[in-house]
Amino acid sequence: SIHYATLRILGGTGIKVEHEEAMEIFHGSGADVEKHGNYGVVKLPSHIVEDCIRWAPSAVTYYGRRREDDYRLDSKSVGFAASYGEQVNVIDVETMKLRPAVK
């Protein structure tokens, strides 16, 4: 149900995109792009999302600076990966205080 709700949102509501080249790539791939001044709303038909899911690898490894910091994400693991350069904070379950994530 989460998957189908996501498809409904991506196809109906869409996502806000503020980069002109990204909007062109989406449009060239078959997405609907509605321009609103300096941003666009991209609506992704379900077949585009489904194709991307099929093309995506079943597992990926995020490599840390040290081997012990490597993180493998596959269908049997649960985690959070961020590639946007910002530190994600978590609430430590032992101290109940906010601290930077370690993986």
mmCIF file of all heavy atoms in Angstrom, residues 8-54:
data_model
loop_
_atom_site.group_PDB
_atom_site.id
_atom_site.type_symbol
_atom_site.label_atom_id
_atom_site.label_comp_id
_atom_site.label_asym_id
_atom_site.label_seq_id
_atom_site.Cartn_x
_atom_site.Cartn_y
_atom_site.Cartn_z
ATOM 1 N N ARG A 8 0.896 7.198 -6.528
ATOM 2 C CA ARG A 8 -0.206 8.159 -6.664
ATOM 3 C C ARG A 8 0.283 9.591 -6.410
ATOM 4 O O ARG A 8 -0.062 10.517 -7.135
ATOM 5 C CB ARG A 8 -1.350 7.786 -5.716
ATOM 6 C CG ARG A 8 -2.626 8.556 -5.985
ATOM 7 C CD ARG A 8 -3.813 8.043 -5.185
ATOM 8 N NE ARG A 8 -3.614 8.150 -3.748
ATOM 9 C CZ ARG A 8 -3.447 7.101 -2.930
ATOM 10 N NH1 ARG A 8 -3.464 5.874 -3.391
ATOM 11 N NH2 ARG A 8 -3.281 7.287 -1.640
ATOM 12 N N ILE A 9 1.126 9.767 -5.401
ATOM 13 C CA ILE A 9 1.641 11.102 -5.082
ATOM 14 C C ILE A 9 2.589 11.586 -6.181
ATOM 15 O O ILE A 9 2.495 12.729 -6.641
ATOM 16 C CB ILE A 9 2.342 11.104 -3.709
ATOM 17 C CG1 ILE A 9 1.294 10.928 -2.611
ATOM 18 C CG2 ILE A 9 3.142 12.390 -3.502
ATOM 19 C CD1 ILE A 9 1.875 10.625 -1.249
ATOM 20 N N LEU A 10 3.515 10.724 -6.602
ATOM 21 C CA LEU A 10 4.471 11.131 -7.639
ATOM 22 C C LEU A 10 3.775 11.444 -8.959
ATOM 23 O O LEU A 10 4.198 12.342 -9.692
ATOM 24 C CB LEU A 10 5.526 10.039 -7.843
ATOM 25 C CG LEU A 10 6.512 9.839 -6.699
ATOM 26 C CD1 LEU A 10 7.399 8.626 -6.966
ATOM 27 C CD2 LEU A 10 7.354 11.078 -6.473
ATOM 28 N N GLY A 11 2.694 10.727 -9.267
ATOM 29 C CA GLY A 11 1.980 10.961 -10.523
ATOM 30 C C GLY A 11 0.957 12.068 -10.463
ATOM 31 O O GLY A 11 0.702 12.745 -11.452
ATOM 32 N N GLY A 12 0.373 12.289 -9.278
ATOM 33 C CA GLY A 12 -0.690 13.288 -9.153
ATOM 34 C C GLY A 12 -0.229 14.613 -8.580
ATOM 35 O O GLY A 12 -0.440 15.669 -9.176
ATOM 36 N N THR A 13 0.414 14.566 -7.434
ATOM 37 C CA THR A 13 0.908 15.786 -6.785
ATOM 38 C C THR A 13 2.220 16.234 -7.401
ATOM 39 O O THR A 13 2.420 17.406 -7.684
ATOM 40 C CB THR A 13 1.099 15.544 -5.272
ATOM 41 O OG1 THR A 13 -0.132 15.092 -4.721
ATOM 42 C CG2 THR A 13 1.563 16.797 -4.562
ATOM 43 N N GLY A 14 3.119 15.279 -7.605
ATOM 44 C CA GLY A 14 4.419 15.575 -8.203
ATOM 45 C C GLY A 14 5.439 16.027 -7.180
ATOM 46 O O GLY A 14 5.188 16.020 -5.973
ATOM 47 N N ILE A 15 6.609 16.404 -7.687
ATOM 48 C CA ILE A 15 7.700 16.890 -6.844
ATOM 49 C C ILE A 15 8.163 18.246 -7.365
ATOM 50 O O ILE A 15 8.135 18.508 -8.571
ATOM 51 C CB ILE A 15 8.888 15.903 -6.813
ATOM 52 C CG1 ILE A 15 9.400 15.601 -8.225
ATOM 53 C CG2 ILE A 15 8.512 14.619 -6.096
ATOM 54 C CD1 ILE A 15 10.649 14.747 -8.272
ATOM 55 N N LYS A 16 8.593 19.094 -6.442
ATOM 56 C CA LYS A 16 9.095 20.415 -6.808
ATOM 57 C C LYS A 16 10.551 20.271 -7.232
ATOM 58 O O LYS A 16 11.361 19.682 -6.523
ATOM 59 C CB LYS A 16 8.988 21.364 -5.610
ATOM 60 C CG LYS A 16 9.474 22.769 -5.902
ATOM 61 C CD LYS A 16 9.311 23.656 -4.683
ATOM 62 C CE LYS A 16 9.781 25.060 -4.941
ATOM 63 N NZ LYS A 16 9.622 25.918 -3.748
ATOM 64 N N VAL A 17 10.872 20.823 -8.406
ATOM 65 C CA VAL A 17 12.236 20.773 -8.929
ATOM 66 C C VAL A 17 12.648 22.202 -9.267
ATOM 67 O O VAL A 17 11.935 22.901 -9.983
ATOM 68 C CB VAL A 17 12.324 19.869 -10.186
ATOM 69 C CG1 VAL A 17 13.720 19.889 -10.770
ATOM 70 C CG2 VAL A 17 11.896 18.446 -9.841
ATOM 71 N N GLU A 18 13.802 22.613 -8.744
ATOM 72 C CA GLU A 18 14.247 23.994 -8.935
ATOM 73 C C GLU A 18 15.407 24.126 -9.912
ATOM 74 O O GLU A 18 15.939 25.207 -10.083
ATOM 75 C CB GLU A 18 14.645 24.601 -7.585
ATOM 76 C CG GLU A 18 13.472 24.688 -6.625
ATOM 77 C CD GLU A 18 13.853 25.245 -5.275
ATOM 78 O OE1 GLU A 18 14.970 24.977 -4.808
ATOM 79 O OE2 GLU A 18 13.010 25.950 -4.685
ATOM 80 N N HIS A 19 15.803 23.050 -10.562
ATOM 81 C CA HIS A 19 16.949 23.079 -11.462
ATOM 82 C C HIS A 19 16.467 22.845 -12.897
ATOM 83 O O HIS A 19 15.845 21.828 -13.192
ATOM 84 C CB HIS A 19 17.953 22.002 -11.044
ATOM 85 C CG HIS A 19 19.283 22.150 -11.680
ATOM 86 N ND1 HIS A 19 19.565 21.614 -12.911
ATOM 87 C CD2 HIS A 19 20.414 22.768 -11.261
ATOM 88 C CE1 HIS A 19 20.819 21.890 -13.225
ATOM 89 N NE2 HIS A 19 21.352 22.592 -12.245
ATOM 90 N N GLU A 20 16.759 23.801 -13.761
ATOM 91 C CA GLU A 20 16.265 23.764 -15.144
ATOM 92 C C GLU A 20 16.705 22.500 -15.880
ATOM 93 O O GLU A 20 15.908 21.849 -16.557
ATOM 94 C CB GLU A 20 16.736 25.009 -15.905
ATOM 95 C CG GLU A 20 16.153 25.143 -17.291
ATOM 96 C CD GLU A 20 14.652 25.393 -17.289
ATOM 97 O OE1 GLU A 20 14.151 26.088 -16.388
ATOM 98 O OE2 GLU A 20 13.981 24.887 -18.215
ATOM 99 N N GLU A 21 17.973 22.134 -15.751
ATOM 100 C CA GLU A 21 18.462 20.943 -16.454
ATOM 101 C C GLU A 21 17.760 19.678 -15.950
ATOM 102 O O GLU A 21 17.439 18.784 -16.738
ATOM 103 C CB GLU A 21 19.975 20.803 -16.280
ATOM 104 C CG GLU A 21 20.560 19.659 -17.076
ATOM 105 C CD GLU A 21 22.073 19.545 -16.928
ATOM 106 O OE1 GLU A 21 22.693 20.364 -16.224
ATOM 107 O OE2 GLU A 21 22.620 18.603 -17.533
ATOM 108 N N ALA A 22 17.520 19.597 -14.645
ATOM 109 C CA ALA A 22 16.808 18.438 -14.100
ATOM 110 C C ALA A 22 15.395 18.364 -14.670
ATOM 111 O O ALA A 22 14.919 17.277 -15.022
ATOM 112 C CB ALA A 22 16.770 18.507 -12.574
ATOM 113 N N MET A 23 14.728 19.504 -14.787
ATOM 114 C CA MET A 23 13.387 19.516 -15.376
ATOM 115 C C MET A 23 13.421 19.019 -16.816
ATOM 116 O O MET A 23 12.545 18.274 -17.247
ATOM 117 C CB MET A 23 12.771 20.920 -15.304
ATOM 118 C CG MET A 23 12.341 21.326 -13.904
ATOM 119 S SD MET A 23 11.436 22.886 -13.898
ATOM 120 C CE MET A 23 12.785 24.059 -13.823
ATOM 121 N N GLU A 24 14.444 19.425 -17.572
ATOM 122 C CA GLU A 24 14.581 18.974 -18.954
ATOM 123 C C GLU A 24 14.803 17.469 -19.031
ATOM 124 O O GLU A 24 14.259 16.791 -19.905
ATOM 125 C CB GLU A 24 15.727 19.724 -19.633
ATOM 126 C CG GLU A 24 15.442 21.189 -19.868
ATOM 127 C CD GLU A 24 16.661 21.955 -20.368
ATOM 128 O OE1 GLU A 24 17.653 21.313 -20.784
ATOM 129 O OE2 GLU A 24 16.624 23.191 -20.335
ATOM 130 N N ILE A 25 15.606 16.932 -18.109
ATOM 131 C CA ILE A 25 15.860 15.482 -18.080
ATOM 132 C C ILE A 25 14.571 14.737 -17.770
ATOM 133 O O ILE A 25 14.243 13.746 -18.424
ATOM 134 C CB ILE A 25 16.976 15.147 -17.073
ATOM 135 C CG1 ILE A 25 18.318 15.690 -17.584
ATOM 136 C CG2 ILE A 25 17.048 13.642 -16.828
ATOM 137 C CD1 ILE A 25 19.438 15.643 -16.570
ATOM 138 N N PHE A 26 13.833 15.207 -16.769
ATOM 139 C CA PHE A 26 12.547 14.580 -16.439
ATOM 140 C C PHE A 26 11.606 14.613 -17.651
ATOM 141 O O PHE A 26 10.994 13.611 -18.001
ATOM 142 C CB PHE A 26 11.880 15.279 -15.249
ATOM 143 C CG PHE A 26 12.367 14.816 -13.908
ATOM 144 C CD1 PHE A 26 12.969 15.708 -13.029
ATOM 145 C CD2 PHE A 26 12.200 13.504 -13.490
ATOM 146 C CE1 PHE A 26 13.408 15.293 -11.788
ATOM 147 C CE2 PHE A 26 12.623 13.082 -12.243
ATOM 148 C CZ PHE A 26 13.236 13.973 -11.394
ATOM 149 N N HIS A 27 11.507 15.782 -18.281
ATOM 150 C CA HIS A 27 10.615 15.927 -19.429
ATOM 151 C C HIS A 27 11.030 14.997 -20.566
ATOM 152 O O HIS A 27 10.199 14.336 -21.188
ATOM 153 C CB HIS A 27 10.588 17.380 -19.913
ATOM 154 C CG HIS A 27 9.614 17.618 -21.015
ATOM 155 N ND1 HIS A 27 9.991 17.638 -22.342
ATOM 156 C CD2 HIS A 27 8.276 17.815 -20.997
ATOM 157 C CE1 HIS A 27 8.932 17.841 -23.090
ATOM 158 N NE2 HIS A 27 7.877 17.954 -22.300
ATOM 159 N N GLY A 28 12.331 14.921 -20.828
ATOM 160 C CA GLY A 28 12.841 14.052 -21.875
ATOM 161 C C GLY A 28 12.627 12.572 -21.594
ATOM 162 O O GLY A 28 12.644 11.747 -22.508
ATOM 163 N N SER A 29 12.408 12.249 -20.325
ATOM 164 C CA SER A 29 12.165 10.853 -19.937
ATOM 165 C C SER A 29 10.685 10.504 -19.916
ATOM 166 O O SER A 29 10.323 9.385 -19.564
ATOM 167 C CB SER A 29 12.773 10.595 -18.558
ATOM 168 O OG SER A 29 14.168 10.787 -18.604
ATOM 169 N N GLY A 30 9.838 11.467 -20.221
ATOM 170 C CA GLY A 30 8.405 11.184 -20.292
ATOM 171 C C GLY A 30 7.579 11.726 -19.145
ATOM 172 O O GLY A 30 6.378 11.488 -19.085
ATOM 173 N N ALA A 31 8.187 12.464 -18.230
ATOM 174 C CA ALA A 31 7.441 13.047 -17.113
ATOM 175 C C ALA A 31 6.750 14.328 -17.573
ATOM 176 O O ALA A 31 7.189 14.983 -18.514
ATOM 177 C CB ALA A 31 8.378 13.350 -15.949
ATOM 178 N N ASP A 32 5.670 14.676 -16.893
ATOM 179 C CA ASP A 32 4.988 15.945 -17.136
ATOM 180 C C ASP A 32 5.636 17.010 -16.270
ATOM 181 O O ASP A 32 5.839 16.802 -15.071
ATOM 182 C CB ASP A 32 3.504 15.842 -16.781
ATOM 183 C CG ASP A 32 2.768 14.855 -17.676
ATOM 184 O OD1 ASP A 32 3.060 14.834 -18.880
ATOM 185 O OD2 ASP A 32 1.928 14.111 -17.154
ATOM 186 N N VAL A 33 5.986 18.149 -16.857
ATOM 187 C CA VAL A 33 6.622 19.243 -16.124
ATOM 188 C C VAL A 33 5.751 20.487 -16.261
ATOM 189 O O VAL A 33 5.477 20.941 -17.369
ATOM 190 C CB VAL A 33 8.045 19.531 -16.645
ATOM 191 C CG1 VAL A 33 8.670 20.695 -15.884
ATOM 192 C CG2 VAL A 33 8.918 18.288 -16.540
ATOM 193 N N GLU A 34 5.307 21.017 -15.116
ATOM 194 C CA GLU A 34 4.543 22.266 -15.090
ATOM 195 C C GLU A 34 5.464 23.348 -14.531
ATOM 196 O O GLU A 34 5.910 23.250 -13.388
ATOM 197 C CB GLU A 34 3.325 22.126 -14.172
ATOM 198 C CG GLU A 34 2.366 21.035 -14.576
ATOM 199 C CD GLU A 34 1.319 20.776 -13.501
ATOM 200 O OE1 GLU A 34 1.328 21.454 -12.446
ATOM 201 O OE2 GLU A 34 0.496 19.869 -13.711
ATOM 202 N N LYS A 35 5.749 24.374 -15.321
ATOM 203 C CA LYS A 35 6.649 25.432 -14.868
ATOM 204 C C LYS A 35 5.867 26.497 -14.110
ATOM 205 O O LYS A 35 4.787 26.897 -14.506
ATOM 206 C CB LYS A 35 7.380 26.036 -16.048
ATOM 207 C CG LYS A 35 8.289 25.014 -16.705
ATOM 208 C CD LYS A 35 9.456 25.669 -17.343
ATOM 209 C CE LYS A 35 10.354 24.579 -17.908
ATOM 210 N NZ LYS A 35 11.514 25.085 -18.538
ATOM 211 N N HIS A 36 6.460 26.954 -13.005
ATOM 212 C CA HIS A 36 5.889 27.995 -12.151
ATOM 213 C C HIS A 36 7.007 28.963 -11.784
ATOM 214 O O HIS A 36 7.641 28.820 -10.739
ATOM 215 C CB HIS A 36 5.289 27.395 -10.870
ATOM 216 C CG HIS A 36 4.212 26.389 -11.114
ATOM 217 N ND1 HIS A 36 2.905 26.732 -11.316
ATOM 218 C CD2 HIS A 36 4.266 25.042 -11.214
ATOM 219 C CE1 HIS A 36 2.179 25.652 -11.516
ATOM 220 N NE2 HIS A 36 2.982 24.601 -11.458
ATOM 221 N N GLY A 37 7.272 29.927 -12.623
ATOM 222 C CA GLY A 37 8.335 30.882 -12.326
ATOM 223 C C GLY A 37 9.698 30.216 -12.352
ATOM 224 O O GLY A 37 10.122 29.690 -13.374
ATOM 225 N N ASN A 38 10.394 30.213 -11.201
ATOM 226 C CA ASN A 38 11.757 29.683 -11.159
ATOM 227 C C ASN A 38 11.820 28.212 -10.709
ATOM 228 O O ASN A 38 12.890 27.726 -10.357
ATOM 229 C CB ASN A 38 12.630 30.544 -10.244
ATOM 230 C CG ASN A 38 12.121 30.583 -8.820
ATOM 231 O OD1 ASN A 38 11.013 30.141 -8.531
ATOM 232 N ND2 ASN A 38 12.931 31.106 -7.920
ATOM 233 N N TYR A 39 10.705 27.519 -10.701
ATOM 234 C CA TYR A 39 10.713 26.097 -10.366
ATOM 235 C C TYR A 39 9.659 25.386 -11.198
ATOM 236 O O TYR A 39 8.867 26.000 -11.901
ATOM 237 C CB TYR A 39 10.458 25.876 -8.866
ATOM 238 C CG TYR A 39 9.043 26.158 -8.420
ATOM 239 C CD1 TYR A 39 8.099 25.140 -8.380
ATOM 240 C CD2 TYR A 39 8.654 27.439 -8.034
ATOM 241 C CE1 TYR A 39 6.794 25.396 -7.977
ATOM 242 C CE2 TYR A 39 7.363 27.697 -7.633
ATOM 243 C CZ TYR A 39 6.436 26.672 -7.607
ATOM 244 O OH TYR A 39 5.148 26.918 -7.219
ATOM 245 N N GLY A 40 9.683 24.087 -11.131
ATOM 246 C CA GLY A 40 8.697 23.290 -11.839
ATOM 247 C C GLY A 40 8.140 22.208 -10.935
ATOM 248 O O GLY A 40 8.750 21.829 -9.941
ATOM 249 N N VAL A 41 6.965 21.737 -11.276
ATOM 250 C CA VAL A 41 6.373 20.585 -10.605
ATOM 251 C C VAL A 41 6.431 19.433 -11.597
ATOM 252 O O VAL A 41 5.866 19.518 -12.691
ATOM 253 C CB VAL A 41 4.929 20.850 -10.145
ATOM 254 C CG1 VAL A 41 4.311 19.587 -9.560
ATOM 255 C CG2 VAL A 41 4.901 21.983 -9.123
ATOM 256 N N VAL A 42 7.164 18.391 -11.226
ATOM 257 C CA VAL A 42 7.355 17.227 -12.085
ATOM 258 C C VAL A 42 6.428 16.118 -11.612
ATOM 259 O O VAL A 42 6.431 15.755 -10.441
ATOM 260 C CB VAL A 42 8.822 16.758 -12.039
ATOM 261 C CG1 VAL A 42 9.003 15.475 -12.833
ATOM 262 C CG2 VAL A 42 9.750 17.846 -12.570
ATOM 263 N N LYS A 43 5.628 15.609 -12.535
ATOM 264 C CA LYS A 43 4.720 14.504 -12.235
ATOM 265 C C LYS A 43 5.215 13.274 -12.988
ATOM 266 O O LYS A 43 5.352 13.295 -14.209
ATOM 267 C CB LYS A 43 3.285 14.866 -12.613
ATOM 268 C CG LYS A 43 2.779 16.036 -11.783
ATOM 269 C CD LYS A 43 1.359 16.380 -12.094
ATOM 270 C CE LYS A 43 0.906 17.557 -11.212
ATOM 271 N NZ LYS A 43 -0.475 17.922 -11.486
ATOM 272 N N LEU A 44 5.497 12.227 -12.218
ATOM 273 C CA LEU A 44 6.091 11.020 -12.774
ATOM 274 C C LEU A 44 5.043 9.936 -12.977
ATOM 275 O O LEU A 44 4.476 9.434 -12.003
ATOM 276 C CB LEU A 44 7.176 10.493 -11.829
ATOM 277 C CG LEU A 44 8.358 11.423 -11.604
ATOM 278 C CD1 LEU A 44 9.171 10.973 -10.409
ATOM 279 C CD2 LEU A 44 9.220 11.447 -12.845
ATOM 280 N N PRO A 45 4.795 9.541 -14.209
ATOM 281 C CA PRO A 45 3.888 8.417 -14.437
ATOM 282 C C PRO A 45 4.448 7.150 -13.780
ATOM 283 O O PRO A 45 5.663 6.978 -13.674
ATOM 284 C CB PRO A 45 3.865 8.272 -15.963
ATOM 285 C CG PRO A 45 4.373 9.565 -16.496
ATOM 286 C CD PRO A 45 5.294 10.112 -15.457
ATOM 287 N N SER A 46 3.568 6.269 -13.376
ATOM 288 C CA SER A 46 3.999 5.073 -12.645
ATOM 289 C C SER A 46 4.957 4.210 -13.453
ATOM 290 O O SER A 46 5.859 3.597 -12.877
ATOM 291 C CB SER A 46 2.795 4.259 -12.184
ATOM 292 O OG SER A 46 2.030 3.846 -13.287
ATOM 293 N N HIS A 47 4.829 4.181 -14.773
ATOM 294 C CA HIS A 47 5.733 3.328 -15.559
ATOM 295 C C HIS A 47 7.179 3.799 -15.472
ATOM 296 O O HIS A 47 8.105 2.986 -15.499
ATOM 297 C CB HIS A 47 5.270 3.215 -17.025
ATOM 298 C CG HIS A 47 5.413 4.471 -17.820
ATOM 299 N ND1 HIS A 47 6.563 4.802 -18.479
ATOM 300 C CD2 HIS A 47 4.531 5.469 -18.057
ATOM 301 C CE1 HIS A 47 6.394 5.954 -19.104
ATOM 302 N NE2 HIS A 47 5.164 6.385 -18.854
ATOM 303 N N ILE A 48 7.414 5.101 -15.315
ATOM 304 C CA ILE A 48 8.780 5.614 -15.150
ATOM 305 C C ILE A 48 9.342 5.160 -13.811
ATOM 306 O O ILE A 48 10.487 4.696 -13.718
ATOM 307 C CB ILE A 48 8.819 7.152 -15.271
ATOM 308 C CG1 ILE A 48 8.503 7.571 -16.706
ATOM 309 C CG2 ILE A 48 10.181 7.695 -14.846
ATOM 310 C CD1 ILE A 48 8.430 9.062 -16.905
ATOM 311 N N VAL A 49 8.550 5.283 -12.753
ATOM 312 C CA VAL A 49 8.993 4.862 -11.419
ATOM 313 C C VAL A 49 9.272 3.365 -11.414
ATOM 314 O O VAL A 49 10.310 2.909 -10.922
ATOM 315 C CB VAL A 49 7.947 5.238 -10.346
ATOM 316 C CG1 VAL A 49 8.397 4.759 -8.972
ATOM 317 C CG2 VAL A 49 7.700 6.740 -10.338
ATOM 318 N N GLU A 50 8.373 2.584 -11.993
ATOM 319 C CA GLU A 50 8.543 1.128 -12.033
ATOM 320 C C GLU A 50 9.790 0.745 -12.830
ATOM 321 O O GLU A 50 10.523 -0.163 -12.432
ATOM 322 C CB GLU A 50 7.304 0.458 -12.625
ATOM 323 C CG GLU A 50 6.041 0.644 -11.821
ATOM 324 C CD GLU A 50 5.997 -0.178 -10.539
ATOM 325 O OE1 GLU A 50 6.929 -0.954 -10.268
ATOM 326 O OE2 GLU A 50 5.000 -0.033 -9.806
ATOM 327 N N ASP A 51 10.056 1.430 -13.943
ATOM 328 C CA ASP A 51 11.270 1.163 -14.716
ATOM 329 C C ASP A 51 12.518 1.449 -13.883
ATOM 330 O O ASP A 51 13.473 0.667 -13.892
ATOM 331 C CB ASP A 51 11.315 2.013 -15.991
ATOM 332 C CG ASP A 51 10.390 1.513 -17.078
ATOM 333 O OD1 ASP A 51 9.891 0.369 -16.962
ATOM 334 O OD2 ASP A 51 10.155 2.272 -18.040
ATOM 335 N N CYS A 52 12.530 2.556 -13.162
ATOM 336 C CA CYS A 52 13.682 2.906 -12.331
ATOM 337 C C CYS A 52 13.909 1.867 -11.231
ATOM 338 O O CYS A 52 15.055 1.518 -10.929
ATOM 339 C CB CYS A 52 13.498 4.297 -11.716
ATOM 340 S SG CYS A 52 13.626 5.621 -12.939
ATOM 341 N N ILE A 53 12.834 1.368 -10.662
ATOM 342 C CA ILE A 53 12.965 0.329 -9.636
ATOM 343 C C ILE A 53 13.590 -0.919 -10.237
ATOM 344 O O ILE A 53 14.484 -1.532 -9.645
ATOM 345 C CB ILE A 53 11.599 0.023 -8.990
ATOM 346 C CG1 ILE A 53 11.145 1.216 -8.142
ATOM 347 C CG2 ILE A 53 11.659 -1.255 -8.147
ATOM 348 C CD1 ILE A 53 9.719 1.116 -7.653
ATOM 349 N N ARG A 54 13.177 -1.305 -11.434
ATOM 350 C CA ARG A 54 13.738 -2.492 -12.090
ATOM 351 C C ARG A 54 15.215 -2.308 -12.417
ATOM 352 O O ARG A 54 15.997 -3.248 -12.369
ATOM 353 C CB ARG A 54 12.959 -2.829 -13.352
ATOM 354 C CG ARG A 54 11.700 -3.617 -13.083
ATOM 355 C CD ARG A 54 11.070 -4.154 -14.358
ATOM 356 N NE ARG A 54 10.542 -3.117 -15.245
ATOM 357 C CZ ARG A 54 9.364 -2.519 -15.075
ATOM 358 N NH1 ARG A 54 8.600 -2.838 -14.051
ATOM 359 N NH2 ARG A 54 8.958 -1.590 -15.908
#
